[in-house]
Amino acid sequence: MENEMLDRAGRYLVHLIDCGLHDVPAQPIPVGVTWRCVHALAEHNSVEGMAWFGAETRDDIPADLRRQWENEAQITLFRRVRFDAERELVFAALALEGLSCLPMKGALLADYYPRPEMRSMADNDFLYGFVEPIEDEGFRICGATHAEREATVERGIRVIERVMHDLGYTTKSLRVGNHESFEKQPIFNFEPHRCLVSSSSPMAAYYENPWKRAIRDEHDPHLFRFSDEDEYVYIMAHAFKHFDAAGCGIRFVVDTRVLLDVKGMDMDWDYVFSELRETGLLDFEARVRALADVGFGGACAVDPLPFEQADLLRYLLRSGTYGNSNRMVENRLDKQKAKHEGDLGAAKRGYLRERLTNDEALGYLFPRASRIAPLRPALQLVRYARGIVRNPKKIANEVKLLIKAK
């Protein structure tokens, strides 16, 4: 999609979401923009349900698209209800084993929307572990020493896998990155997190003990939450991880605006800004909040956005909900260019070195064997072969993009 069409269709999509959030009839679609184009952008960013409640007030949507769009909103509601019930079942089963849980992201944010059909959910993320209180410092994983806490984490992985299997789930991944992954037909996907960020993240030190900021539920000793302020900071941290890696879509910007509408007035903003400064997210949050305010703050306008917000919106719309491989290559190469002071050749060589000698990727694929240094060269070769066999088109596209980059 060309930039001009993307800007006009994207701006109208923002208008539809804003109207849906504030129960305002949508203005006519701009000349030259098609409903199918707007819907495709909504689908690419997983905001079909949000946009539908603005779009439904228009009578010029093609009949087949109107039926499809309305059905997508109903499916969003169906998934939401099913996920909520399933999450309670999972948490109850884990609590019987002594595991504590702290729901995160979509599971909480969906409750802030004016209609349950608005916020789509692909999976359920939560922090889990066997935890104990620390004097004046919240909680931590059980254990007096680092070794004991590592053993506790390992025990937690074994227990959660057994419990999820007992509930009919199959394991998608275990001990990979910072979370496990389980799925069950027809729609359920749970991602229990041992920690909030990977060890290579620039925010690893900040979130070294995420339970330090956890607040225990007064009715359920195994259920925890973050304060509104810490929840907001984590939403920004998680969004930036995707934004900085392979891009992300506009859904988290809407999440930001909805959360601020519900809780922003009562939040301790001195604390929030202090934590954002510590995590290096102060500028990112300001950019996101500016777009959230002008795009989803209730003005329900279709006027062009200011340059900075329009530029950010274009980046997000093109990226899609979870980013894409093209954006990943661009972002990684841009970082190499900055590192090599604009020298494109050096940047490309640095890019290749980083991709070919990726210790973090080895940790994901071979969490135990990769800890043995003499095995790493052989494991890298296995990683290359595995990638070529499983993702030949993706790798070919990455090489092509790198060659063509200017």
Side-chain angles (χ1 to χ4, degrees):
M1 193 182 299
E2 296 297 327
N3 278 349
E4 183 180 355
M5 176 59 72
L6 178 71
D7 289 345
R8 296 170 68 196
R11 181 67 185 94
Y12 191 64
L13 173 61
V14 168
H15 168 68
L16 293 178
I17 295 172
D18 199 20
C19 289
L21 289 174
H22 299 94
D23 199 20
V24 174
Q27 296 182 31
I29 192 169
V31 176
V33 176
T34 69
W35 279 108
R36 296 190 190 282
C37 177
V38 175
H39 176 266
L41 275 178
E43 190 174 37
H44 188 52
N45 286 264
S46 300
V47 293
E48 304 99 302
M50 298 178 192
W52 166 245
F53 291 100
E56 71 170 345
T57 63
R58 302 299 308 167
D59 58 8
D60 55 343
I61 304 177
D64 62 327
L65 182 58
R66 175 178 283 275
R67 288 192 296 271
Q68 177 187 342
W69 210 334
E70 183 176 18
N71 185 57
E72 287 166 346
Q74 292 303 314
I75 290 174
T76 299
L77 174 61
F78 171 77
R79 291 176 63 90
R80 164 81 187 281
V81 172
R82 292 286 303 274
F83 262 112
D84 285 351
E86 187 72 9
R87 186 169 58 253
E88 289 188 11
L89 179 67
V90 169
F91 282 6
L94 295 176
L96 289 175
E97 300 290 337
L99 276 169
S100 296
C101 299
L102 189 156
M104 306 182 303
K105 298 185 297 183
L108 298 174
L109 292 165
D111 288 337
Y112 305 150
Y113 280 80
R115 294 175 184 247
E117 301 97 321
M118 286 185 163
R119 181 52 159 83
S120 63
M121 294 182 64
D123 51 36
N124 264 223
D125 298 81
F126 62 92
L127 184 67
Y128 79 97
F130 293 106
V131 302
E132 62 185 6
I134 310 172
E135 187 176 353
D136 300 327
E137 283 197 68
F139 299 82
R140 71 178 180 193
I141 294 295
C142 294
T145 66
H146 178 72
E148 288 180 0
R149 289 190 288 274
E150 280 197 332
T152 300
V153 169
E154 182 61 31
R155 179 164 63 94
I157 294 172
R158 293 195 301 270
V159 170
I160 202 166
E161 183 179 32
R162 173 172 54 78
V163 170
M164 297 303 283
H165 285 183
D166 289 346
L167 292 173
Y169 285 79
T170 58
T171 301
K172 285 178 61 181
S173 65
L174 209 65
R175 300 180 181 85
V176 174
N178 60 337
H179 66 265
E180 331 316 334
S181 184
F182 304 97
E183 63 181 9
K184 180 171 72 173
Q185 295 299 324
I187 62 171
F188 299 120
N189 183 13
F190 278 77
E191 290 191 353
H193 288 242
R194 283 167 273 116
C195 49
L196 291 187
V197 299
S198 68
S199 58
S200 63
S201 167
M203 288 170 273
Y206 182 84
Y207 283 117
E208 181 180 9
N209 174 22
W211 295 99
K212 178 180 178 179
R213 298 173 173 83
I215 301 170
R216 176 174 270 159
D217 187 274
E218 59 183 15
H219 303 296
D220 184 344
H222 293 102
L223 182 63
F224 288 76
R225 64 177 177 85
F226 283 142
S227 69
D228 295 340
E229 293 82 0
D230 285 322
E231 181 186 351
Y232 185 78
V233 172
Y234 176 66
I235 288 169
M236 287 298 148
H238 181 77
F240 183 77
K241 180 192 77 170
H242 288 289
F243 178 89
D244 189 54
C248 59
I250 64 170
R251 187 174 64 181
F252 89 93
V253 183
V254 190
D255 288 343
T256 299
R257 181 66 264 162
V258 171
L259 187 153
L260 290 173
D261 286 342
V262 173
K263 299 194 171 187
M265 290 292 292
D266 297 322
M267 286 167 60
D268 180 350
W269 284 99
D270 287 339
Y271 173 81
V272 170
F273 292 143
S274 173
E275 301 305 289
L276 290 170
R277 188 175 295 107
E278 184 176 344
T279 56
L281 295 171
L282 201 58
D283 290 342
F284 176 71
E285 186 274 342
R287 292 181 66 196
V288 171
R289 186 156 37 88
L291 178 56
D293 289 344
V294 73
F296 308 108
C300 299
V302 291
D303 301 329
L305 297 175
F307 173 80
E308 186 174 352
Q309 283 76 58
D311 188 56
L312 176 58
L313 177 63
R314 188 184 304 122
Y315 176 94
L316 297 174
L317 289 171
R318 282 199 181 281
S319 297
T321 311
Y322 303 111
N324 57 71
S325 57
N326 289 20
R327 184 71 77 195
M328 178 197 71
V329 174
E330 291 173 10
N331 287 355
R332 285 180 171 174
L333 189 57
D334 283 345
K335 291 174 186 176
Q336 289 293 334
K337 286 179 184 177
K339 183 177 179 180
H340 293 91
E341 300 180 343
D343 185 330
L344 182 60
K348 289 184 177 182
R349 291 191 294 273
Y351 180 102
L352 286 172
R353 280 195 300 272
E354 184 181 80
R355 294 290 282 141
L356 293 173
T357 59
N358 192 327
D359 288 338
E360 185 175 3
L362 284 186
Y364 286 159
L365 295 173
F366 315 106
R368 291 182 175 175
S370 63
R371 297 177 185 176
I372 305 173
L375 292 180
R376 286 176 189 162
L379 294 177
Q380 290 286 14
L381 293 175
V382 174
R383 182 172 76 88
Y384 304 155
R386 176 179 175 147
I388 291 170
V389 171
R390 294 191 175 188
N391 302 296
K393 291 182 179 179
K394 182 178 178 182
I395 291 175
N397 182 61
E398 183 175 353
V399 172
K400 181 173 70 175
L401 289 170
L402 186 61
I403 292 172
K404 289 184 175 181
K406 298 179 181 179

